[in-house]
């Protein structure tokens, strides 16, 4: 059994990463590049206290057309091609690129998403409402800067889809953290379930969302009618 790090270590690491995220946001704003902060950095101080969730990296969403200007603002190099190619073991189609890239910003591992969900083949079969999620994104403060994060309904669909597409290792075998992220959003933010169902259906994420919401750890927080839809 892996011993979790002390609370003080989690807090220190999180604060360091959030401080560097603040610098990323400063540079992005100066370059007129809007960003949506995803996953852990968007959830801290919203549905988690700072010590309750550790972050291995920082994830942000950028419009593909802004990718080059963001890289220039951060003084990092884009991989060639911009969509890096994953190892064959990580992709259904090993020659398809992945719609994200990771860069090092002053020691921070920054995962830049050009699409909400990756790998790239997923973007070709889903119908993500990209314009809509940007319009629905809500402002929040992180490291004293203004940023954007997904609406609570988009959070449920995104975190559920991420849990299934990135952390699913067989039916009934879920990665704990993504499932807990979904639970926190549901219990703390009370999403509108009609909207969650509509977003999942319209974006072809109905099955992935249903699988995520069917986790045993969520059985007491998801309305029964949602699972029967």
């Amino acid at each position: 059994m892996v011993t979790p790090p002390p609370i003080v270590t989690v807090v220190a690491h999180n604060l360091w990463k959030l401080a560097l995220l603040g610098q990323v946001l400063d540079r992005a704003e100066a370059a007129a590049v809007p960003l949506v902060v995803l996953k852990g950095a968007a959830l801290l101080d919203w549905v988690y206290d700072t010590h309750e969730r550790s972050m291995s990296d920082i994830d942000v969403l950028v419009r593909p057309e802004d990718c080059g200007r963001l890289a220039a603002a951060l003084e990092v190099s884009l991989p060639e091609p911009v969509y890096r190619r994953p190892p064959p073991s990580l992709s259904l189609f090993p020659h398809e690129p992945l719609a994200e890239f990771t860069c090092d910003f002053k020691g921070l591992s920054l995962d830049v998403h050009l699409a909400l969900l990756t790998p790239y083949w997923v973007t070709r079969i889903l119908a993500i409402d990209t314009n809509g999620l940007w319009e629905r994104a809500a402002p929040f403060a992180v490291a004293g800067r203004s940023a954007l994060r997904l609406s609570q309904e988009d959070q449920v669909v995104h975190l559920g889809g991420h849990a299934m597409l990135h952390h699913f290792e067989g039916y009934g075998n879920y990665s704990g953290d993504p499932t807990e992220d979904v639970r926190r959003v549901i219990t703390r933010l009370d999403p509108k379930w009609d909207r969650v169902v509509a977003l999942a259906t319209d974006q072809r994420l109905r099955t992935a969302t249903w699988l995520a919401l069917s986790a045993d750890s969520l059985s007491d927080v998801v309305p029964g009618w949602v699972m029967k839809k």
Side-chain angles (χ1 to χ4, degrees), residues 117 126 128 157 161 165 200-201 203-210:
L117 288 167
L126 299 181
I128 299 297
V157 176
L165 295 170
T201 301
Q203 297 180 107
R204 300 177 188 164
L205 276 164
R206 189 184 183 98
T207 299
T209 303
W210 184 90

Side-chain angles (χ1 to χ4, degrees), residues 20 28 32 55 67 80 87 92 132 138 145-146 155 167 203 215 220:
L20 287 175
M55 298 185 295
C67 184
E80 292 293 340
L92 182 63
R145 280 80 164 181
S146 179
Q155 293 282 359
H167 298 277
Q203 297 180 107
D220 61 332

Side-chain angles (χ1 to χ4, degrees), residues 73-92:
L74 298 179
E75 299 177 348
V76 300
S77 299
L78 285 175
E80 292 293 340
V82 169
Y83 300 101
R84 65 180 173 86
R85 298 183 184 277
S89 61
L90 299 181
S91 177
L92 182 63

Side-chain angles (χ1 to χ4, degrees), residues 174-211:
Y174 301 88
S175 175
D177 286 346
T179 302
E180 179 61 18
D181 286 350
V182 178
R183 180 181 179 85
R184 291 291 182 117
V185 169
I186 293 171
T187 57
R188 302 292 177 88
L189 304 180
D190 192 22
K192 295 179 175 61
W193 285 105
D194 283 334
R195 188 63 180 149
V196 171
V197 171
L199 286 170
T201 301
D202 293 345
Q203 297 180 107
R204 300 177 188 164
L205 276 164
R206 189 184 183 98
T207 299
T209 303
W210 184 90
L211 282 170

Side-chain angles (χ1 to χ4, degrees), residues 101-114:
F101 70 93
T102 300
C103 62
D104 181 285
F105 178 74
K106 299 185 178 181
L108 172 69
S109 178
L110 183 68
D111 197 0
V112 180
H113 294 245
L114 284 74

Side-chain angles (χ1 to χ4, degrees), residues 11 16 21-23 33-34 36 66 71 74 76 85 93 104 150 159 177 185 187 190 197 199 218 222:
V11 171
W16 173 74
L21 172 59
Q23 295 183 37
V33 175
V36 173
D66 292 335
L74 298 179
V76 300
R85 298 183 184 277
F93 304 106
D104 181 285
L150 301 176
L159 293 170
D177 286 346
V185 169
T187 57
D190 192 22
V197 171
L199 286 170
L218 301 180
V222 178

Side-chain angles (χ1 to χ4, degrees), residues 10 13-14 37 53 58 78 93 104 139 144 150 169 186 207 215 217:
V10 173
H13 285 182
N14 282 348
V37 180
R53 188 192 191 283
I58 296 286
L78 285 175
F93 304 106
D104 181 285
L150 301 176
E169 299 174 355
I186 293 171
T207 299
S217 62

